[in-house]
Each structure stands twice: as structure tokens, then as C-alpha cells.
Amino acid sequence: MAEGSAISPSAEAEDAPPALSVVIAVLNECENIAAVCQELATVRRDFPRSEIIFVDDGSTDGTIEAIAAARKIDGLSDIRILSHDRRCGKSSALRTGIRNARGRWIATMDGDGQDDPSAIVALYAEAGAAKGRPPLVVGVRPRRSDTIWRKLATRFANGLRKRLLNDGCPDTGAPMKLFLRSDFLALPQFEGLHRFLPALLQSYGVSLVCVPVRHRSRLHGQSKYSNLGRAVVGVRDLLGVIWLRNRTRLPASVREC
């Protein structure tokens, strides 16, 4: 399936769309899928009407089979699986999931076990309590369960982004976020977008709410990104986001005459 292509939902699904779509982009997470899905099954009863969407970004280790097997877990028989034919990147995978989601609200999380899905309940409650235009809610990680080198790299990257973009978010790369589907799809799409949502959505008038969440050690496997590789790409993307924000021109209101 090509990135961004839409899949027609069943007639039954169209009759009762979910309020919330949980989108999880994964790459070679076969060993972690079962535990992540077990947690999702436990907390899903506290969600509003929801759907769970996994987007496989070209895995080669049996990740798709592991997700399909998770449909046997009580409460997860309706898991949706979307699959890229090759690795396109996390932002592309998220866009595929969000493009095909049926919920008004989107919640994102990682599939490596580091995110606690119960936090989605708190993020959704914060969104519902917000006044005015629906916000972007970010699950910030006060205590990172990472190596010292990754913590230092993340602290530097977040500090640089916060200083240059003035987005008010202490953890803009946090995977747990909740936002309107329509807001995400209105943004210009590029790989690395997911790390700059606070700054980009603010340009479109979307306010930011930060909620502390628990961060855990990865269950199995290793991160798909090195500190150096992420830093090099991050600086390039940061310059691009600064350009995008400077070139964004939106009216305060529109009326038909």
C-alpha cells in the first residue's frame, strides 16, 4: 500500500465511527508486540469508543504476524494493520495511520513498550477540559529511562528546538501525543514532522497542553536511531521547520461575501 493512500472502511464501521484512533508506528518490534497489546487490551476499556491501528514500516522480522496474532487477545479482535512495502520513516508511517483513521481524535505512541498506554486516558481528559479550540496534548517524560548518552543527546536536542522555535514544549519529540486528525492532515508533510508538532501546530492556532507521563525501558531490541544520526537529521529538519513557520501566512478568519 502506498503511503498516504486511503482504505475504504466497511459499511458497519462507517455507521459508528470511533471518537479516538490510537496509531502506533512500528519497525521490527516483533518481540515487543504481545506485551504492548496486552497492556492496550487492559486499558482500552477506559478509552472512549476507539480503534487501534498499527502501521508497519517495512519490518523484516515477523512484526506483522505478531500484530495479527494479538487479535486473539480479548478486546483486540478489531486491530487494524497497515503495512508499507518498504521503510519510509516514522512520520510517513504515522501519516498512513492517521490518513486512514476514522476517529476525530488521534493518539500516538510507540510500539517498543516504553510508553504506558494508560496515559492516553489522561491526555484525552486534558483535551476535553481545554477551553476554546481543541489543543495538542503532549505526554512529556520528566524522567527518561534511557542511557546517559541518549539522555544527554535528547536534552541538547530539546533545548535547541525550544530555544530556536520557542514552542514552549520541554519534550517535543515525545511519542505520546493527542490531537485532532484534521489538524495533523492540514500540515505540510515531511519525514521528521512528528518531532516538531508543537511548533508547527502553533502556527495554525493550535494551543499546547503538556502532561507528565511515565517512561520505561525498551522491552526488547534496540532503538532504530543512533545519537549522531538523529542529531544530523534533526538539525537539518530544524532549519526546515524554521523556514516553514516563517513562510506560513494564515487569515484570522474567513467569510464568504
Side-chain angles (χ1 to χ4, degrees):
M1 182 192 71
E3 187 276 317
S5 60
I7 298 173
S8 298
S10 66
E12 180 182 356
E14 288 181 331
D15 292 339
L20 172 70
S21 298
V22 180
V23 178
I24 308 168
V26 290
L27 171 66
N28 292 334
E29 297 288 2
C30 177
E31 294 179 296
N32 297 319
I33 295 298
V36 169
C37 287
Q38 286 285 357
E39 275 197 310
L40 278 168
T42 300
V43 303
R44 190 180 183 186
R45 69 194 67 173
D46 297 322
F47 294 173
R49 182 176 177 83
S50 65
E51 64 177 355
I52 311 294
I53 303 174
F54 278 89
V55 184
D56 177 72
D57 189 34
S59 293
T60 58
D61 69 342
T63 292
I64 293 178
E65 291 77 8
I67 302 171
R71 286 174 171 153
K72 298 178 182 177
I73 299 173
D74 186 31
L76 294 184
S77 61
D78 59 343
I79 282 180
R80 299 175 61 192
I81 307 173
L82 308 178
S83 177
H84 288 174
D85 60 350
R86 62 187 181 279
R87 183 175 181 179
C88 298
K90 184 174 180 179
S91 290
S92 179
L94 288 173
R95 177 169 171 80
T96 293
I98 294 166
R99 176 84 166 82
N100 288 283
R102 295 179 286 112
R104 177 173 182 253
W105 287 97
I106 302 292
T108 62
M109 59 175 281
D110 281 349
D112 56 10
Q114 290 192 285
D115 295 330
D116 182 352
S118 67
I120 293 174
V121 179
L123 268 60
Y124 191 81
E126 287 289 339
K131 305 296 184 183
R133 196 188 195 291
L136 161 68
V137 187
V138 177
V140 298
R141 301 161 292 184
R143 296 184 179 181
R144 295 287 299 271
S145 184
D146 284 325
T147 65
I148 183 63
W149 296 113
R150 185 166 293 280
K151 288 180 181 178
L152 290 174
T154 300
R155 186 176 301 172
F156 172 79
N158 278 325
L160 183 62
R161 281 194 291 262
K162 188 176 180 180
R163 178 178 294 272
L164 294 181
L165 297 178
N166 193 29
D167 59 10
C169 185
D171 190 10
T172 185
M176 299 202 76
K177 297 182 176 75
L178 186 133
F179 46 83
L180 290 183
R181 176 179 180 270
S182 56
D183 284 342
F184 180 91
L185 294 178
L187 296 175
Q189 299 299 311
F190 60 92
E191 187 51 41
L193 167 73
H194 63 279
R195 293 192 297 271
F196 298 96
L197 280 182
L200 290 169
L201 285 175
Q202 282 175 15
S203 297
Y204 285 73
V206 179
S207 62
L208 172 69
V209 176
C210 293
V211 177
V213 298
R214 186 163 63 109
H215 187 248
R216 306 174 296 194
S217 299
R218 167 182 274 274
L219 293 174
H220 303 282
Q222 297 179 336
S223 172
K224 308 304 184 295
Y225 309 96
S226 67
N227 287 343
L228 177 60
R230 182 176 293 185
V232 171
V233 173
V235 170
R236 181 193 65 190
D237 291 345
L238 179 58
L239 294 175
V241 170
I242 292 173
W243 182 87
L244 279 172
R245 292 189 76 189
N246 288 338
R247 299 300 294 170
T248 299
R249 299 289 185 271
L250 298 171
S253 64
V254 177
R255 65 187 180 91
E256 185 172 353
C257 302

